[in-house]
């Protein structure tokens, strides 16, 4: 797996919010890492050091000793370390009382969760797009959400997005990605369905 390429990773993030975001992404990407203590000499360890500005100063790191990250570039840096192409962002939506969504980039799940409406989902997509800089976002919605999906046409007016309606037949079956162990985080049935929807062909809605 690609994550093995960066398993010797030391993480020195002094910003608690940035550390929480890193830990969430690391769990999604099955990324191995260690967190050094302030007693360790990061200049001498044989690991790639991922650090924010505060920790670079605290550890006395210099340019070239650490890979600097912040809230704006953390996701992109991790995807680059894994050798993942981020040109296309793929979004699968399993409609229900709440929408379960899964977002993939380069075949790697980089976000999942629940939203109450498409406006909320677009905010999440746009926030992630600012970090990954995809050339295109493809949104696939299960057919039971077809009527609500058409509301997206009122919210989106750009060739940057493509919207598809996908049959929900067999979307509750175990996804091959999960069967093969590609993703270690536990996916409940809603996220599994959203992942299946994202990876299925559908009918494009083109009246943006």
């Amino acid at each position: 797996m690609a994550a093995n390429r960066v398993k010797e990773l030391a993480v020195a993030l002094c910003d608690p919010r940035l550390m929480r975001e890193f830990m969430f992404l690391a769990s999604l990407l099955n990324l191995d890492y260690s967190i050094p203590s302030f007693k360790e000499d990061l200049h001498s360890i044989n690991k790639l050091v991922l650090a924010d500005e505060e920790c670079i100063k605290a550890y006395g790191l210099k340019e070239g000793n650490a890979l600097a990250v912040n809230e704006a570039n953390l996701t992109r840096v991790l995807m680059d370390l894994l050798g993942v192409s981020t040109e296309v962002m793929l979004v699968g939506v399993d409609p229900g009382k709440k929408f379960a969504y899964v977002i993939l980039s380069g075949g790697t799940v980089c976000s999942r969760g629940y939203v109450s409406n498409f406006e909320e989902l677009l905010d999440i997509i746009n926030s992630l797009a600012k970090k990954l800089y995809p050339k295109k976002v493809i949104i696939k919605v299960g057919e039971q959400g077809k009527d609500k999906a058409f509301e997206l046409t009122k919210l989106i007016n750009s060739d940057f997005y493509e919207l598809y309606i996908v049959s929900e037949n067999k979307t509750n079956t175990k996804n091959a990605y999960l069967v093969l162990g590609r993703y270690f985080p536990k996916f409940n049935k809603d996220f599994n369905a959203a992942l299946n929807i994202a990876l299925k062909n559908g009918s494009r809605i083109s009246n943006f």
Side-chain angles (χ1 to χ4, degrees):
M1 234 181 118
N4 290 332
R5 295 172 53 188
V6 289
K7 67 179 182 179
E8 294 300 317
L9 180 67
V11 179
L13 300 175
C14 293
D15 182 342
R17 182 175 175 179
L18 189 60
M19 187 63 186
R20 286 194 295 270
E21 183 175 357
F22 168 81
M23 292 176 70
F24 173 73
L25 289 169
S27 69
L28 280 175
L29 302 173
N30 187 37
L31 189 64
D32 294 324
Y33 61 94
S34 62
I35 300 175
S37 69
F38 278 103
K39 295 181 180 179
E40 289 186 70
D41 182 2
L42 292 185
H43 298 84
S44 61
I45 65 173
N46 187 27
K47 292 183 179 181
L48 174 64
V49 179
L50 202 71
D52 58 9
E53 184 177 354
E54 184 179 350
C55 269
I56 287 174
K57 292 178 180 178
Y59 281 97
L61 296 172
K62 297 179 181 179
E63 188 174 350
N65 294 123
L67 186 58
V69 294
N70 52 48
E71 287 190 25
N73 72 358
L74 177 62
T75 304
R76 182 60 181 266
V77 167
L78 292 182
M79 302 295 270
D80 286 346
L81 286 175
L82 292 172
V84 173
S85 170
T86 59
E87 288 193 356
V88 177
M89 186 185 296
L90 184 60
V91 184
V93 183
D94 180 37
K97 189 173 182 181
K98 279 199 167 186
F99 300 158
Y101 72 87
V102 171
I103 301 177
L104 302 98
S105 186
T108 298
V109 175
C110 54
S111 182
R112 71 182 190 275
Y114 290 96
V115 293
S116 300
N117 51 58
F118 282 112
E119 290 94 337
E120 188 178 345
L121 178 59
L122 280 177
D123 286 342
I124 293 169
I125 292 171
N126 290 333
S127 177
L128 196 53
K130 290 177 182 178
K131 299 176 180 179
L132 295 177
Y133 308 105
K135 294 181 179 179
K136 186 172 290 294
V137 174
I138 297 175
I139 304 172
K140 298 183 181 181
V141 181
E143 60 190 351
Q144 291 187 33
K146 183 176 180 178
D147 291 340
K148 290 184 178 180
F150 276 104
E151 295 175 8
L152 271 174
T153 62
K154 302 175 184 177
L155 301 172
I156 299 172
N157 184 23
S158 170
D159 292 335
F160 180 61
Y161 299 92
E162 291 182 9
L163 176 62
Y164 294 81
I165 301 300
V166 175
S167 168
E168 294 183 47
N169 183 39
K170 296 183 178 180
T171 54
N172 288 324
T173 59
K174 195 71 172 179
N175 189 277
Y177 274 40
L178 304 178
V179 171
L180 294 172
R182 186 166 186 178
Y183 295 110
F184 288 80
K186 293 181 179 180
F187 268 49
N188 63 25
K189 64 179 182 180
D190 295 335
F191 295 142
N192 181 71
L195 182 58
N196 278 320
I197 288 169
L199 298 173
K200 290 185 68 175
N201 293 325
S203 300
R204 184 175 180 182
I205 299 176
S206 57
N207 58 328
F208 284 104

